[in-house]
């Protein structure tokens, strides 16, 4: 059986807000697997038991670029070790320059971007130079480039911790900006139900089945409960199904229809999404150093050394 450490319990509690003992029990039941333990807590405690998607677990910024004609856009996430460096002028300028390069040079992936020239050196050489001057590791995590079917609008929020580019066909600039702000606030994972990954839908269905089974209701009722839960989930995570943040009496889909507009695509980046921030245990580090020093002293004074 996997050892359940205090650190694991603390991490699960921070992700879910569940009581400490419930976290420990869930980890034990999951054999120490964090993701599985989260699912167990969601089944037992409800959807409130998972906040992992909304937590920022690494530092850095999101930078965007849109061409003057609003037809070409790009978005990048650049990570660093501390929030202090995320506010550094050179770091911010580097991220902004990368967004423009992605839009204009069309690199296929991060490896291709690293070889693109930025002034007189490659992006990778500039990155290494920046690491040397600032004294922290810096990494370009992800990028996306959009060629618009309509017109592009970008929006960054929270000290550039959240960045959005949205391609809106029809409507006006105000509508497009409102949609970008809505996406930043509501964080949809897909445009419509059809675009939600099958694995994500299946995961929610499995959770709904487990929760409904505990109700003790007849099978036909359980089936309806599961279908209802999945449909509710899909409305919550798709842009078109979400209530519009400025008018929750209608969905984004209804808003777009009333304006004779549509969304062709969007990209949303949240800094550190899906990453785990390293948490240093200062006391443990000190004790380890003391132990190492003691071991070296014993070796130095030993008659056998």
């Amino acid at each position: 059986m996997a050892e359940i450490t205090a650190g694991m319990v603390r991490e699960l509690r921070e992700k879910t807000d569940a009581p400490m003992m419930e976290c420990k029990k869930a980890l034990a039941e999951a054999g120490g697997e964090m993701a599985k333990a989260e699912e167990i807590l969601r089944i037992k405690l409800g959807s409130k038991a998972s906040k992992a998607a909304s937590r920022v677990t690494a530092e850095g910024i999101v930078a965007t670029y849109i061409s003057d004609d609003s037809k070409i856009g790009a978005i990048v996430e650049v990570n660093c070790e501390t929030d202090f460096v995320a506010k550094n002028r050179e770091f911010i300028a580097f991220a902004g320059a990368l967004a423009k390069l992605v839009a204009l040079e069309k690199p296929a992936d991060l490896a291709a971007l690293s070889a693109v020239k930025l002034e007189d050196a490659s992006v990778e050489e500039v990155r290494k130079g920046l690491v040397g001057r600032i004294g922290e590791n810096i990494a370009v995590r992800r990028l996306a480039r959009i060629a618009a079917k309509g017109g592009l609008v970008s929006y960054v929020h929270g000290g550039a911790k959240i960045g959005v580019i949205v391609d809106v066909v029809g409507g006006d600039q105000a509508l497009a900006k409102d949609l970008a702000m809505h996406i930043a606030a509501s964080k949809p994972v897909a445009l419509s139900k059809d675009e939600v990954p099958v694995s994500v839908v299946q995961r929610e269905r499995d959770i709904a089945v487990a929760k409904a089974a505990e109700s003790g209701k007849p099978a036909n009722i359980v089936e309806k409960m599961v279908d209802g839960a999945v449909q509710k989930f899909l409305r919550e995570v798709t842009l078109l199904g979400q209530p519009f943040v400025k008018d929750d009496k209608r969905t984004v889909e209804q808003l777009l229809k009333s304006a004779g507009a549509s969304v062709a695509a969007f990209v949303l980046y949240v800094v550190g999404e899906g990453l785990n921030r390293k948490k240093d245990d200062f006391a443990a580090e000190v004790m380890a150093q003391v132990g190492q020093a003691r071991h070296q002293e014993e070796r130095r004074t030993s008659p056998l050394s």
Side-chain angles (χ1 to χ4, degrees), residues 56-75:
V56 177
T57 54
E59 302 302 340
I61 63 172
V62 177
T64 62
Y65 171 85
I66 293 179
S67 60
D68 291 339
D69 62 2
S70 300
K71 291 297 182 182
I72 299 295
I75 183 170

Side-chain angles (χ1 to χ4, degrees), residues 1-22:
M1 181 177 178
E3 180 185 1
I4 308 303
T5 65
M8 294 167 66
V9 174
R10 183 172 61 250
E11 180 182 348
L12 184 58
R13 174 172 167 73
E14 289 175 351
K15 285 183 174 182
T16 64
D17 268 355
M20 294 288 280
M21 288 306 298
E22 292 294 338

Side-chain angles (χ1 to χ4, degrees), residues 65-281:
Y65 171 85
I66 293 179
S67 60
D68 291 339
D69 62 2
S70 300
K71 291 297 182 182
I72 299 295
I75 183 170
V76 297
E77 178 186 347
V78 185
N79 295 137
C80 55
E81 295 179 41
T82 65
D83 189 53
F84 179 77
V85 167
K87 298 172 183 175
N88 178 281
R89 290 183 183 178
E90 277 194 281
F91 179 82
I92 293 170
F94 176 63
L98 293 187
K100 185 174 182 179
L101 278 181
V102 170
L104 302 183
E105 300 297 330
K106 307 179 187 178
D109 51 29
L110 292 174
L113 175 62
S114 68
V116 174
K117 286 290 183 181
L118 178 56
E119 296 179 352
D120 298 326
S122 69
V123 165
E124 178 60 12
E125 290 168 337
V126 173
R127 185 194 69 82
K128 287 181 178 178
L130 198 57
V131 169
R133 290 193 298 278
I134 291 178
E136 274 195 19
N137 189 28
I138 294 168
V140 185
R141 185 186 177 202
R142 48 184 172 172
L143 60 84
R145 182 180 185 274
I146 298 180
K149 293 181 179 179
L152 296 174
V153 167
S154 67
Y155 175 70
V156 292
H157 180 74
K161 300 299 184 186
I162 301 171
V164 176
I165 289 184
V166 59
D167 179 9
V168 183
V169 180
D172 56 20
Q173 190 75 4
L175 173 66
K177 198 71 176 180
D178 280 348
L179 288 168
M181 293 173 68
H182 171 97
I183 292 167
S186 299
K187 300 179 181 61
V189 301
L191 177 60
S192 65
K193 295 178 182 180
D194 294 338
E195 295 182 12
V196 179
V198 174
S199 59
V200 173
V201 177
Q202 187 58 52
R203 179 171 178 264
E204 289 302 315
R205 182 171 290 279
D206 291 343
I207 291 170
V209 166
K211 289 173 68 174
E214 294 183 352
S215 69
K217 296 184 182 296
N220 63 320
I221 301 298
V222 166
E223 185 178 351
K224 290 180 180 178
M225 290 172 63
V226 170
D227 288 340
V230 172
Q231 291 306 312
K232 181 176 181 290
F233 167 77
L234 290 173
R235 289 193 299 272
E236 291 173 347
V237 301
T238 55
L239 177 59
L240 297 181
Q242 291 176 337
F244 180 46
V245 289
K246 283 190 171 184
D247 178 8
D248 61 9
K249 296 295 188 293
R250 56 179 174 170
T251 64
V252 170
E253 185 172 25
Q254 290 168 335
L255 169 71
L256 288 166
K257 187 175 181 179
S258 69
S262 63
V263 172
F266 74 87
V267 180
L268 164 68
Y269 283 171
V270 178
V271 170
E273 188 175 38
L275 297 178
N276 290 318
R277 178 185 289 139
K278 181 182 178 182
K279 296 181 180 178
D280 296 321
D281 187 335

